[in-house]
Structure formats: C-alpha cells, structure tokens
Amino acid sequence: MSEVLYTYMESPIGRLLLAGDGQRLSCIGFPAGKGVVTPRPHWRRADDAFGRVKDQLREYFDGTRQEFDLPLDPRGTAFQLMVWRELARIPYGETISYGELARRIGQPEASRAVGAANGANPIPIVIPCHRVIGANGSLTGFGGGIETKKRLLALERPGTIDDQPRLL
C-alpha cells in the first residue's frame, strides 16, 4: 500500500480534506455531514501536495471550470466503480435521477444499489454525485449535507438555490 498524503483547502462550502498518494486523488472529505473524513493515523500531512487539485477546485468554485482533468484513484467494488464512471459523465449543470443512473449503467432495477454506491463516492464534486436527485426533483442524501448539495447545484445552475432543481 502506498503512502497516503493529505492536506486541506478552504472553499465556499467549508474546509475540504484532500487525500491520495500525492499523484492521484483518492478522497475529498467535507467539513460536515456524512462525508466528514478525518486523517487516519498512518496518513502524512503534506500541505504542498495536491496543488493541481486545489487549483481546479478553486476554478470550479469560481465558476470558470466545468470539467476536472485530474488523476483519480477511487477505491470501491466493481459495481461502485461502474456507478462512479457514469456519474463522471453527467454534464455540468445537469441533474438526473437515481433511476436514470441505474438505466444508464444497464441495471434499471438497481436504483437503490446505485443510491448506495452514489453515497459511497470517495471523491465528491470531482465525481459529481451531487448531480443525482430524486425522481420527483427532490434533493436526497448527500455526504456534505443537503445545504451543501443545494449550493453546488446552485453554483452550476444559478437560480436553483431556492427552487428545487429540475431533472434534465
């Protein structure tokens, strides 16, 4: 197992933890919600690591970046990896339902399993799990909390922060 490096960055949604092997990003942790990640005892803090990640996240939050171009190392089951690959294909500013995501991976009856995989996404924002919403347009669970999900969707589609996002 390679050494895990981590650092923090300030963002409009709070302090994010970034972790990986120094070359590839394997984790973004939120400051609140179910997605809080704390460094493990064997991780090493390296504040000079992840410069490219920080730059691209800042551009995203500034509204000047719609796609990420980063080496990633998400770790999960074969099913989770399949779901996460499909998440990465959801265009900036668009939302889909869990059922639609299940259809896109060729398993239309697996919306609950897709929801669980979505919730286990270790690299939120970059792998945009926030773009998946309920079939009725409702905002459902999110690792950083529903308010964070609202803010990310509003960033991508101005005017949605007070309204429910529409499925496209």
Side-chain angles (χ1 to χ4, degrees):
M1 181 167 123
S2 62
E3 179 179 42
V4 177
L5 304 177
Y6 76 96
T7 190
Y8 293 95
M9 78 169 278
E10 295 302 324
S11 81
I13 58 171
R15 189 177 194 212
L16 301 175
L17 178 134
L18 310 174
D21 65 8
Q23 301 299 315
R24 298 170 302 160
L25 182 66
S26 60
C27 175
I28 294 179
F30 290 109
K34 297 179 303 186
V36 173
V37 177
T38 56
R40 309 296 189 270
H42 64 279
W43 291 10
R44 182 172 63 84
R45 185 158 180 172
D47 289 330
D48 58 340
F50 305 108
R52 187 169 164 209
V53 174
K54 291 176 186 177
D55 289 344
Q56 289 193 23
L57 283 168
R58 280 188 203 101
E59 291 166 358
Y60 171 80
F61 288 118
D62 289 343
T64 60
R65 175 171 291 279
Q66 295 186 0
E67 295 180 11
F68 292 93
D69 179 24
L70 298 167
L72 304 178
D73 186 24
R75 305 218 173 141
T77 66
F79 181 79
Q80 288 172 327
L81 292 169
M82 179 173 51
V83 170
W84 300 338
R85 278 191 297 275
E86 195 59 40
L87 284 174
R89 292 184 180 103
I90 303 170
Y92 180 92
E94 292 188 18
T95 55
I96 66 170
S97 69
Y98 293 94
E100 175 59 23
L101 184 55
R103 283 187 289 284
R104 288 183 182 188
I105 64 165
Q107 298 190 29
E109 304 300 319
S111 59
R112 287 182 187 252
V114 161
N118 197 56
N121 173 17
I123 313 174
I125 305 169
V126 174
I127 298 176
C129 53
H130 62 279
R131 296 179 187 154
V132 182
I133 62 176
N136 64 358
S138 64
L139 299 184
T140 56
F142 183 65
I146 295 298
E147 284 305 311
T148 298
K149 186 170 188 165
K150 280 184 186 179
R151 291 184 71 187
L152 293 172
L153 292 172
L155 170 74
E156 295 183 14
R157 287 189 10 212
T160 60
I161 195 155
D162 295 322
D163 303 296
Q164 293 289 20
R166 300 175 320 280
L167 290 171
L168 297 178

